[in-house]
Amino acid sequence: MKSTNELMNLIKKAPREEFVDSLKEENMDISGMMKDILAEKQVEIKRAIDLLLLEASYGYQIFNGRRKPTRIILLRFAIIFELNLEETQQLLKMGQKQELYPRIRFDAAVIYGIEHHYSIEEVEDLLSEVGEKSLF
């Protein structure tokens, strides 16, 4: 992945074709990233859809790249598949969603859960305890 400075230089100086080709080469979509994580964890897409409590057709549309997952779905995915905070932030960035920010109470609770290796149920309990919305 190109650094921010490299990408800015490419935007400013590269011919259009080179710019477009560069973005196509480097741009793994969010569904590809999620499928790579599932492959690494040896989890089938059908099982992931069940664990994420998604309606089957919607889940397959996400994993096939036809629909973009919401931030909540990405957070569920990160917690269920035990991503660390850095991996979670990368997942959110790749999904073009706001990264977790510790000054936001909901985000702080999710960060706490990730950092303390909480299960999805434990994160849900924590969110409820601090008066925040559910991940479901």
Side-chain angles (χ1 to χ4, degrees):
M1 185 175 283
K2 288 183 176 38
S3 72
T4 303
N5 287 336
E6 290 171 324
L7 190 54
M8 187 56 79
N9 286 332
L10 186 67
I11 291 168
K12 289 179 178 179
K13 299 176 182 173
R16 181 183 174 127
E17 284 183 30
E18 183 181 336
F19 170 72
V20 170
D21 289 344
S22 170
L23 290 181
K24 284 181 181 176
E25 288 171 11
E26 192 158 321
N27 186 24
M28 178 197 291
D29 61 6
I30 188 64
S31 64
M33 183 178 189
M34 291 170 75
K35 285 192 267 188
D36 286 350
I37 292 168
L38 293 181
E40 181 183 307
K41 306 267 183 190
Q42 299 178 353
V43 176
E44 293 181 10
I45 290 174
K46 181 184 181 342
R47 178 74 177 132
I49 290 169
D50 291 342
L51 290 170
L52 291 165
L53 298 179
L54 298 175
E55 193 275 325
S57 64
Y58 178 60
Y60 282 110
Q61 288 173 2
I62 288 173
F63 284 102
N64 290 329
R66 287 189 306 243
R67 297 205 49 186
K68 300 289 183 196
T70 64
R71 185 174 191 256
I72 292 293
I73 290 172
L74 292 175
L75 291 174
R76 277 192 233 163
F77 184 91
I79 295 164
I80 289 168
F81 296 106
E82 301 174 344
L83 302 186
N84 64 33
L85 185 57
E86 183 179 323
E87 293 165 331
T88 301
Q89 300 288 46
Q90 184 63 33
L91 183 74
L92 291 168
K93 271 195 267 188
M94 186 68 73
Q96 299 177 339
K97 305 298 180 206
Q98 180 181 349
E99 292 181 58
L100 292 168
Y101 183 63
R103 291 198 181 270
I104 298 171
R105 192 168 56 184
F106 173 87
D107 289 6
V110 172
I111 292 169
Y112 187 90
I114 290 169
E115 286 293 311
H116 290 86
H117 310 284
Y118 278 14
S119 69
I120 193 77
E121 293 84 7
E122 291 171 315
V123 173
E124 277 293 291
D125 288 344
L126 179 60
L127 288 167
S128 176
E129 189 175 332
V130 298
E132 286 297 323
K133 66 183 179 187
S134 170
L135 287 168
F136 291 93

